Amino acid sequence: MGLQEQIEEEAARMNKGEESQTDEKKTEEKTETKTESPAFDILAHYNTNFGLTAATKEEAEEQLKTAYTKYNEIKDLPEKFTQTQTELNEYKTKAEGFIGS
């Protein structure tokens, strides 16, 4: 094998390498465009997960704020009820003391 043949084979091998690299790049570009995910729809997320019927994102967020505010008001009710029952029993005891004397 002569020097000229070696150079030609090496050139052919290098050209094939470049072609395969460009083919790989084209394949990667195609897969990148195909795998783009759709934009996240926050309104659909709110309506689905929280059972809202809002028409806009702002309306949905306002409904959520209202719900959380009401929850924060209500979550302390059992504790307040127990406290009120205790106070009522104390007042009953005092009232019975006044009536008995």
Side-chain angles (χ1 to χ4, degrees):
M1 180 183 281
L3 184 60
Q4 182 66 29
E5 291 174 348
Q6 288 178 349
I7 293 173
E8 288 175 1
E9 286 179 6
E10 184 66 24
R13 187 182 59 79
M14 293 176 91
N15 285 338
K16 286 182 181 178
E18 289 177 4
E19 289 175 4
S20 65
Q21 288 177 354
T22 50
D23 289 341
E24 290 173 4
K25 287 180 183 178
K26 288 178 183 177
T27 306
E28 288 176 14
E29 290 175 3
K30 287 179 183 178
T31 55
E32 286 178 13
T33 56
K34 290 180 182 178
T35 58
E36 289 182 15
S37 61
F40 182 70
D41 186 5
I42 191 74
L43 182 59
H45 174 73
Y46 285 156
N47 287 339
T48 303
N49 291 327
F50 297 108
L52 303 176
T53 56
T56 64
K57 176 186 169 195
E58 291 78 19
E59 185 179 328
E61 289 174 349
E62 187 62 36
Q63 289 179 9
L64 284 173
K65 286 178 187 177
T66 303
Y68 284 125
T69 302
K70 288 181 181 180
Y71 169 75
N72 286 331
E73 292 172 0
I74 293 173
K75 73 177 183 178
D76 297 331
L77 282 180
E79 183 180 315
K80 289 179 181 178
F81 177 77
T82 305
Q83 182 181 0
T84 305
Q85 286 293 95
T86 305
E87 289 176 9
L88 178 63
N89 290 336
E90 289 174 6
Y91 291 134
K92 282 183 180 179
T93 305
K94 286 181 183 179
E96 289 173 1
F98 289 136
I99 294 174
S101 37

